[in-house]
Amino acid sequence: MEEARGIQYGDRREAPIGVFDSGVGGLTVVREILHQLPAERITYFGDTARVPYGSKSRETIIRYSRQIIRFLMTRGVKAIVVACNTASAYALEELRPQVEVPIIGVVKPGAKMAAAVTRNGKIGVIGTEGTISSGIYTSFLKDLRPDMQVLGKACPLFVPLAEEGWLEGEVPMLVARSYLEELCHSGIDTLILGCTHYPLLRPAIAEVMGPEVTLVNPAYETAVSLQNLLQEQGLRSPGIHKGTGPLCEFFVSDAADWFNRFAGRILPAGITNTRQIPIEEY
Ligand code: DGL
């Protein structure tokens, strides 16, 4: 994926980190990166015209992800975070050899963290149809500990609930109860929120699962992995920001105003400058 870069940074360390998701969910990962790596610039792309990814085929997700990576490369990014579990499951390993900057997803860090916190080796994973049917969490968890028992459950309605901002009250509780009932009685002590939208529904999920079950949000460990990666590659920002552009920039494939409003609920500082781009042209 050799790309002519639109923006060049004299000092590569000053370049932004590209982060993408199918929509707004990846902002939960941005929030964590901003918290752990406050000196870094971020260029975010949310594929709001083509969300959801969770019910689409592998081939489609690879094509979408390839276009987004091409776009991010035109912004001169120094590394890429695939802040979408479905894209991490379907597209990351396929595209990695073609990408000329370091790239990480959210699945491996999430699996690593869950393996570290479980006491009884029984882990639940909730995510989109695509992530769960790919079996990717199970395979990473079993690589870490072969005797691990992993139970997966797709919870597709959580995504539109999160996108609608319907995060509390009767409806999310009802949906959470109905999806999670089986997992509640399965003996798991750890549950991976294997979809970037699900941390937004954390209160409902936590209430249904009860205090004995630790909820793992892969965003935290993803930011830790990113920090290690940047360090290893000598790409940590010196934090001077002399040059090009703002600290964070946001792009979407549709509905920039709606994205601005939604982002204000997730990120500490509101955003107003989201731009819509024709992602199919990349
Ligand atoms: N961002 C997606 C993920 O983490 C969930 C939303 C979707 O289905 O596109 O898997």
Side-chain angles (χ1 to χ4, degrees):
M1 225 176 274
E2 297 279 321
E3 294 303 317
R5 292 202 178 93
I7 299 180
Q8 301 274 356
Y9 288 82
D11 181 346
R12 284 292 286 150
R13 298 173 306 163
E14 281 276 328
I17 295 156
V19 181
F20 76 90
D21 178 42
S22 56
V24 293
L27 293 174
T28 59
V29 179
V30 170
R31 178 171 64 189
E32 198 53 51
I33 296 173
L34 289 174
H35 183 67
Q36 291 188 36
L37 300 164
E40 298 294 341
R41 292 176 200 274
I42 292 179
T43 295
Y44 183 87
F45 178 80
D47 203 355
T48 45
R50 304 187 292 193
V51 66
Y53 279 13
S55 50
K56 296 195 170 69
S57 70
R58 185 169 186 272
E59 291 66 38
T60 298
I61 300 308
I62 291 173
R63 182 166 68 82
Y64 288 176
S65 301
R66 185 180 284 119
Q67 288 172 335
I68 296 167
I69 291 168
R70 284 195 186 123
F71 165 69
L72 289 174
M73 293 306 289
T74 68
R75 306 301 300 172
V77 298
K78 64 181 174 184
I80 293 175
V81 178
V82 184
C84 172
N85 287 262
T86 312
S88 298
Y90 279 159
L92 179 58
E93 290 316 319
E94 174 80 20
L95 296 179
R96 191 194 295 281
Q98 303 163 38
V99 183
E100 51 186 309
V101 294
I103 180 166
I104 59 166
V106 283
V107 172
K108 210 175 210 169
K112 201 172 136 199
M113 192 169 175
V117 298
T118 183
R119 300 168 306 274
N120 69 4
K122 282 191 185 172
I123 293 180
V125 184
I126 53 175
T128 64
E129 296 283 0
T131 301
I132 299 303
S133 67
S134 75
I136 189 158
Y137 271 105
T138 309
S139 108
F140 280 138
L141 286 163
K142 284 193 181 281
D143 282 350
L144 293 165
R145 203 175 127 180
D147 66 335
M148 199 86 85
Q149 285 182 47
V150 187
L151 291 150
K153 174 82 184 167
C155 306
L157 279 180
F158 281 168
V159 172
L161 278 176
E163 296 263 336
E164 284 296 321
W166 208 342
L167 309 177
E168 283 165 31
E170 234 176 282
V171 175
M173 279 306 289
L174 202 70
V175 175
R177 255 191 226 107
S178 129
Y179 278 140
L180 303 175
E181 171 103 56
E182 217 181 303
L183 283 175
C184 272
H185 301 111
S186 62
I188 59 163
D189 70 355
T190 304
L191 180 66
I192 301 176
L193 307 180
C195 170
T196 43
H197 288 62
Y198 296 2
L200 299 172
L201 288 155
R202 191 181 187 120
I205 297 170
E207 189 168 335
V208 172
M209 294 310 295
E212 299 302 314
V213 176
T214 306
L215 303 186
V216 168
N217 175 2
Y220 175 83
E221 195 63 30
T222 301
V224 173
S225 299
L226 175 66
Q227 182 167 358
N228 293 338
L229 180 74
L230 295 177
Q231 195 71 44
E232 276 161 32
Q233 309 259 340
L235 286 173
R236 282 290 294 275
S237 165
I240 304 159
H241 302 305
K242 280 194 281 248
T244 333
L247 217 50
C248 289
E249 51 177 10
F250 297 89
F251 297 89
V252 289
S253 46
D254 198 9
D257 287 344
W258 176 84
F259 184 89
N260 279 337
R261 283 198 300 279
F262 198 99
R265 293 190 209 154
I266 302 179
L267 298 177
I271 57 168
T272 51
N273 60 348
T274 303
R275 280 172 275 173
Q276 185 176 330
I277 55 127
I279 195 64
E280 291 282 358
E281 290 175 12
Y282 286 86

